[in-house]
Amino acid sequence: MAARSVLLKHLRVNAKPLPHNINLNSSFGLSFNVVRRLFSEEVRGSFLDKSEVTDRVVAVVKNFQKIDPSKVTPNAHFGNGLGLDSLDTVEIVMALEEEFGFEIPDNEADKINTIGLAVEFIASHPQAK
Amino acid sequence: MASAAAKSPTRLEVLSLFRSLLRTAHEFSDYNVREYTKRRTIDGFQSNRSLSDQQSISAAYANGKEQLAIVKRQAVIYSLYAPKVKSIMELKSV
């Protein structure tokens, strides 16, 4: 114990409290805020707007040969509402990949069976453009 | 054929083969070949969609696998001799 306190005393460093009027906020704080704002804008900018995604998805689906364009609504189901089979659904998901310029992995693509799900996945994907 | 005796593929495997074929078809730089490969893939799967007996399903699946290997190889070969001008069908506005 004694040895420990001697050691600690030896190690003690003079610590001055920071003066209160130091210019922390104006120089360092500001530039940090700017960097943070730029970064968050960049991240936000890479996600597409949900309504824009919906419009483009609906347009792609309407273009599909076997579909009656008047039946396509933003919450239609590929199988029940639009009368498509699983092969057609794969085709539509491929067409969406082409439209938005990114690859949808197989396990995600298998889950997409409504326009709503497609919109949700694409809007939450940073690489969609 | 030996592979026809193998157990028949699951629904997900078939869809995955279909997707791989379409994806590889998309890699062709020549518009005509690209569109033909896509069309042929879709037609092939649609014409076989009603197959019910295990053996013919397995045979069709094995055939699809072979075709996928061919498409992959041809996509590479065709990319070496890519057309210098685009097809008029690829121009968005004329």
Side-chain angles (χ1 to χ4, degrees), chain A residues 11-125:
Chain A
L11 285 176
R12 187 169 295 161
V13 183
N14 269 343
K16 253 185 272 167
L18 275 175
H20 284 295
N21 58 354
I22 196 166
N23 240 353
L24 238 181
N25 279 338
S26 57
S27 60
F28 175 72
L30 186 71
S31 66
F32 179 68
N33 268 344
V34 166
V35 168
R36 199 172 55 179
R37 197 178 323 131
L38 282 179
F39 182 67
S40 71
E41 239 154 52
E42 196 179 296
V43 167
R44 191 148 23 95
S46 64
F47 289 102
L48 293 173
D49 185 46
K50 210 161 191 177
S51 62
E52 185 206 332
V53 174
T54 311
D55 289 347
R56 282 166 68 189
V57 169
V58 167
V60 167
V61 177
K62 274 186 181 171
N63 256 334
F64 198 65
Q65 279 178 345
K66 292 179 195 166
I67 286 182
D68 177 4
S70 63
K71 280 189 190 163
V72 180
T73 58
N75 38 25
H77 189 283
F78 293 148
N80 298 333
L82 302 171
L84 298 176
D85 60 17
S86 52
L87 292 176
D88 300 328
T89 308
V90 170
E91 266 183 71
I92 287 196
V93 173
M94 294 290 301
L96 291 175
E97 283 186 9
E98 236 168 275
E99 165 73 21
F100 290 94
F102 74 109
E103 206 166 280
I104 302 176
D106 279 14
N107 53 345
E108 297 292 343
D110 288 330
K111 287 181 212 152
I112 295 176
N113 55 8
T114 65
I115 291 185
L117 280 176
V119 169
E120 212 166 283
F121 182 78
I122 292 167
S124 67
H125 203 290

Side-chain angles (χ1 to χ4, degrees), chain B residues 7-26:
Chain B
K7 68 178 174 59
S8 63
T10 65
R11 179 188 173 85
L12 281 183
E13 281 173 326
V14 174
L15 289 180
S16 166
L17 175 65
F18 184 51
R19 198 175 285 122
S20 305
L21 276 162
L22 288 180
R23 214 166 249 161
T24 318
H26 193 241

